[in-house]
Amino acid sequence: MKSHNKSINYAPIGAGRAKDARRLLLRYVWIMKLKFIFIGFVILLNFASAIGATDSDIDKALALIKSGNFVQALPILVPLADEGDVEAMIALGYYYLFEKENQSKSLGWFRKAVLTGNPQAQLHLGLVLAEILGGNDNFSEGVEWLKKSAFQGNKTAATKLAAYYYTGRSTINKDMILSEWWRNRAKNN
């Protein structure tokens, strides 16, 4: 009996290829994080224009953020947020979100903003807890903030809740009736 010893080369990934793969993965993660920050700021900019914001300091700060000058916007945003400006609080929440050492600072700004009862602030805190920070506890709390926002007429929050119930996400069981209910609420708000 003749044996066929075909050896297949299962060489481990070399150090160079592993570094390249790690670099690509880190680049992808940062791109996704920046994409979410950009989406958050676009929502915030739409919020500013929806309430008829005038040419004020917050508008200047948001223009700086839109052009990518986050650091220059910071000295404008902090005093505004300290004075109770909800838009500035939300912007600071996003600013600090992806710095591990400042995540508690980020959540602090979002939580301060929701204390005003603002549905837009509730939406942003809900999305950050449910979509970015994750985990069952964060997701559950995020859903509660999304519900508060949706009950105040926020269509985006209601649409997100409809999607969660449609797919059965994290701590939410799939429920087509609730999904349809939230979808109708979003449509009728």
Side-chain angles (χ1 to χ4, degrees), residues 6-27:
K6 290 185 179 179
S7 64
I8 300 173
N9 185 4
Y10 291 107
I13 295 177
R17 285 181 53 202
K19 282 182 183 177
D20 289 344
R22 181 170 163 32
R23 193 174 320 121
L24 285 173
L25 179 63
L26 288 174
R27 179 185 285 165

Side-chain angles (χ1 to χ4, degrees), residues 96-171:
Y96 291 115
L97 185 61
F98 291 109
E99 298 175 7
K100 284 284 188 201
E101 64 276 0
N102 286 323
Q103 275 188 349
S104 63
K105 196 181 230 183
S106 169
L107 285 175
W109 283 114
F110 282 117
R111 290 186 191 288
K112 189 173 180 180
V114 299
L115 290 177
T116 65
N118 183 296
Q120 200 68 20
Q122 294 166 344
L123 168 71
H124 287 285
L125 179 59
L127 289 173
V128 165
L129 289 168
E131 297 288 331
I132 294 184
L133 299 180
N136 287 344
D137 291 341
N138 285 333
F139 184 81
S140 296
E141 184 184 354
V143 166
E144 291 307 311
W145 285 113
L146 288 172
K147 286 179 182 177
K148 287 179 184 186
S149 180
F151 281 125
Q152 290 191 59
N154 190 299
K155 291 180 180 186
T156 305
T159 302
K160 197 59 151 167
L161 290 164
Y164 289 163
Y165 281 102
Y166 183 80
T167 58
R169 176 107 188 261
S170 189
T171 58

Side-chain angles (χ1 to χ4, degrees), residues 36-46 65 70 91 94-95:
F36 190 82
I37 288 173
F38 179 74
I39 289 169
F41 282 125
V42 167
I43 292 171
L44 185 61
L45 289 171
N46 288 338
I65 290 167
F70 299 104
Y94 280 110
Y95 179 82

